[in-house]
Amino acid sequence: MSKNLNFDRLGKLVRWTTVTDRSNIIRSFWMYLALLCIILQLDNLRFVMNSGVRIGFTYGCVIAMIVGLLAGGGSYFFNSFNQWKDGIRELCLLPASRLEKFLVRYLFSWGVQIVSFTVCLLIADVLQYIVGFVLGREPLFWVTSRVIETMNIVNWDGKTIFVVIALMAWSNTLFLLGSNFFRSLKYSFVYTGLVLTALFIGFLLLLPSGSYQTGFALGSMVKQHGIVIGCIGILLSIANVMAAYRLFGHRPLIGRFINPL
């Protein structure tokens, strides 16, 4: 086993992270549960108010939340340390390699959010179904199954799936890079989002006039150059992870401006 990667140390680091991030994990769980309950109960509220049941809005919001969690999950890297003053210092002093600390912070923090969201979605779905049944609402439906059905309606071929995964990975690692670059700021994902929005607008301004309606249509680009776009996205994702790891592993003991400890 490499001295930079030891599964025994990884297990101990995961346990330490679970204990130290416990309050943040619980807070995230209740946040997801409250938000999903509100969204999924909207159809019951419309039924009570005799305004009709518009199920498309409900599972559309859930899909948007899933996409946001997958694309922006890298922003959770230092999330818990924003409420924990000495968190980064203690992390630096742990008897584990930088690679192990980086992997646990990235995969564990993001994985916890995904698990919390999934559990909360199932709980909120059961609650909305029970409330709808008691109210006599028609039609009754499971939001989770509707979300899966909606995603299956799209004609996903292998090339499209590859491109979507690559772009999701690219977006995720961009937020991972931003989380390490702006790690001293409480809402680092906001600053990362603003920077990415500015870069995107700048890119659009550089495109030739009329290109939005002609040869640069997204569908035709994916169809013609999907493999190339996907490979570029994967390479950029790898570059973002390497840059984030470099920022994480070379932080100063006493920082200034952007990255103070």
Side-chain angles (χ1 to χ4, degrees):
M1 182 63 63
S2 171
K3 64 179 182 179
N4 290 323
L5 189 61
N6 182 284
F7 289 111
D8 183 54
R9 288 200 305 262
L10 275 176
K12 293 178 181 178
L13 190 56
V14 168
R15 289 194 294 271
W16 178 86
T17 306
T18 303
V19 173
T20 54
D21 285 12
R22 182 173 53 210
S23 61
N24 185 64
I25 294 171
I26 295 174
R27 183 165 47 248
S28 297
F29 178 86
W30 288 115
M31 178 193 70
Y32 287 133
L33 184 60
L35 186 59
L36 287 168
C37 282
I38 292 172
I39 293 174
L40 268 61
Q41 294 294 344
L42 285 177
D43 290 320
N44 290 325
L45 179 62
R46 294 192 189 100
F47 176 78
V48 172
M49 298 176 64
N50 297 319
S51 59
V53 179
R54 295 176 293 176
I55 58 179
F57 173 80
T58 300
Y59 57 80
C61 289
V62 174
I63 292 176
M65 292 177 67
I66 294 174
V67 172
L69 186 59
L70 294 176
S75 61
Y76 291 103
F77 193 91
F78 283 112
N79 190 49
S80 62
F81 291 159
N82 294 326
Q83 294 85 31
W84 184 26
K85 184 177 179 181
D86 297 322
I88 299 179
R89 290 190 181 92
E90 291 193 22
L91 180 65
C92 292
L93 295 174
L94 289 177
S97 68
R98 289 174 176 174
L99 178 60
E100 291 165 345
K101 296 172 185 176
F102 181 83
L103 289 176
V104 170
R105 285 309 312 170
Y106 182 30
L107 300 179
F108 180 87
S109 59
W110 183 35
V112 164
Q113 299 297 321
I114 293 176
V115 172
S116 295
F117 179 86
T118 303
V119 173
C120 291
L121 176 59
L122 295 176
I123 294 174
D125 203 4
V126 171
L127 290 176
Q128 69 84 21
Y129 193 92
I130 293 174
V131 173
F133 178 78
V134 172
L135 294 175
R137 193 194 77 201
E138 290 292 341
L140 282 171
F141 63 93
W142 294 103
V143 173
T144 306
S145 62
R146 287 299 182 98
V147 169
I148 296 174
E149 290 173 4
T150 302
M151 297 178 69
N152 289 334
I153 289 176
V154 182
N155 186 20
W156 299 99
D157 55 20
K159 186 184 295 185
T160 303
I161 293 175
F162 177 60
V163 172
V164 170
I165 292 176
L167 294 180
M168 284 286 186
W170 181 44
S171 175
N172 189 293
T173 55
L174 281 173
F175 278 94
L176 169 67
L177 181 59
S179 180
N180 278 271
F181 189 78
F182 297 112
R183 60 176 172 263
S184 65
L185 302 176
K186 185 174 182 180
Y187 301 105
S188 62
F189 67 93
V190 175
Y191 296 93
T192 304
L194 291 175
V195 171
L196 294 179
T197 301
L199 292 176
F200 180 72
I201 293 175
F203 171 76
L204 291 180
L205 293 176
L206 292 176
L207 291 178
S209 177
S211 61
Y212 313 107
Q213 292 81 26
T214 56
F216 288 90
L218 180 60
S220 62
M221 285 183 65
V222 172
K223 185 176 181 180
Q224 297 175 16
H225 311 291
I227 300 299
V228 175
I229 294 173
C231 290
I232 293 174
I234 295 296
L235 291 175
L236 290 175
S237 301
I238 295 173
N240 290 335
V241 172
M242 293 176 64
Y245 178 70
R246 184 174 179 83
L247 284 172
F248 174 77
H250 293 81
R251 74 169 52 81
L253 292 178
I254 300 177
R256 298 179 61 192
F257 304 115
I258 293 178
N259 292 322
L261 284 176

